[in-house]
Amino acid sequence: MTGSKAAGAGQGDEAAMPPVVVKKYANRRLYNTEASSYVTLDDLAKMVREGRDFVVYDAKTGDDITRSVLTQIIVEEESKGGQNLLPTAFLRQLIGYYGDNLQGLVPRYLEFAMASFGRQQEQMRRTMEQTMGGFMPFPPGFGNLEELGKQNVAMMERAMSLFAPFGRREDGSVAPGGAEVEALRAEIDSLREELTKLRGGASKA
């Protein structure tokens, strides 16, 4: 939570700053051209939490490899004890969508879901600071961050399961596309209503 808060604050401060250019060499070393020093994946993870943007280029080819480096950071973070954010079931579902005919929709939905989750977190932090002075995690009856995290993960898993209208079901049959798409739309509408209620409850608190 601390890292996310720092990232949220940093994004506003660093918004006008250009991204840091990092070069990756054949020996896998990462070079921060702004600081003129070599950095590690942990250093880049810290930059993300602080809200400082960066791009990574292959030093030999000039290719943008930012996505693969960010993925490596996630793998490193997931390997650390007690810091797992991605449930095994979610990872299996995500892998299953590679090559699927609706693969292109998944990134957009994940961006929407994570942005919504981030807005919830920031709203609750503001409520906490305004009403509890930072001593209590959340106002009474508002739930706690761990429970909210579980709810959001479950929400994403439910929605991801609806992303394959032409995919295979557990019994091996093919799901009818129209019904699943309508179900997805209904699910998204329901999620929007939940977010509206959460924001409304936080404002009243």
Side-chain angles (χ1 to χ4, degrees):
M1 186 173 73
T2 302
S4 299
K5 184 175 182 180
Q11 287 171 356
D13 297 336
E14 310 289 351
M17 300 183 68
V20 175
V21 175
V22 178
K23 292 185 178 180
K24 186 175 183 179
Y25 289 89
N27 58 7
R28 297 185 178 182
R29 298 191 70 183
L30 298 162
Y31 186 76
N32 183 330
T33 60
E34 182 180 80
S36 299
S37 62
Y38 287 99
V39 294
T40 65
L41 291 177
D42 282 340
D43 294 325
L44 295 183
K46 183 179 179 181
M47 290 174 64
V48 171
R49 296 187 185 101
E50 292 174 346
R52 188 66 202 275
D53 196 13
F54 62 82
V55 291
V56 185
Y57 295 105
D58 185 292
K60 182 177 181 180
T61 65
D63 293 340
D64 186 337
I65 56 173
T66 307
R67 183 189 299 272
S68 65
V69 171
L70 290 173
T71 303
Q72 289 176 30
I73 291 174
I74 293 174
V75 172
E76 289 288 326
E77 293 294 329
E78 285 287 312
S79 67
K80 297 177 181 177
Q83 296 196 124
N84 306 107
L85 293 180
L86 303 175
T88 302
F90 175 77
L91 290 172
R92 292 183 188 278
Q93 284 183 316
L94 193 60
I95 292 171
Y97 290 117
Y98 285 98
D100 189 88
N101 53 359
L102 292 181
Q103 176 180 336
L105 296 177
V106 177
R108 291 197 292 272
Y109 177 77
L110 291 178
E111 287 179 351
F112 166 78
M114 291 305 296
S116 298
F117 181 71
R119 287 193 294 270
Q120 291 178 40
Q121 302 284 67
E122 190 57 34
Q123 179 65 51
M124 286 184 291
R125 288 194 190 97
R126 287 198 298 267
T127 301
M128 174 187 70
E129 293 169 357
Q130 292 170 5
T131 62
M132 296 295 172
F135 293 105
M136 295 294 288
F138 294 101
F142 201 72
N144 56 53
L145 183 59
E146 182 179 1
E147 183 61 29
L148 179 67
K150 291 179 181 178
Q151 292 174 3
N152 276 272
V153 169
M155 172 194 78
M156 292 176 66
E157 288 180 343
R158 289 198 307 271
M160 287 284 284
S161 69
L162 295 173
F163 257 105
F166 304 105
R168 292 184 298 273
R169 289 176 170 174
E170 293 183 358
D171 61 1
S173 63
V174 177
E180 294 291 347
V181 171
E182 288 304 317
L184 175 58
R185 289 174 179 169
E187 181 78 7
I188 291 176
D189 288 341
S190 176
L191 295 176
R192 286 173 177 166
E193 290 178 4
E194 291 179 14
L195 292 176
T196 300
K197 290 178 181 179
L198 277 174
R199 286 196 288 267
S203 299
K204 292 178 182 179

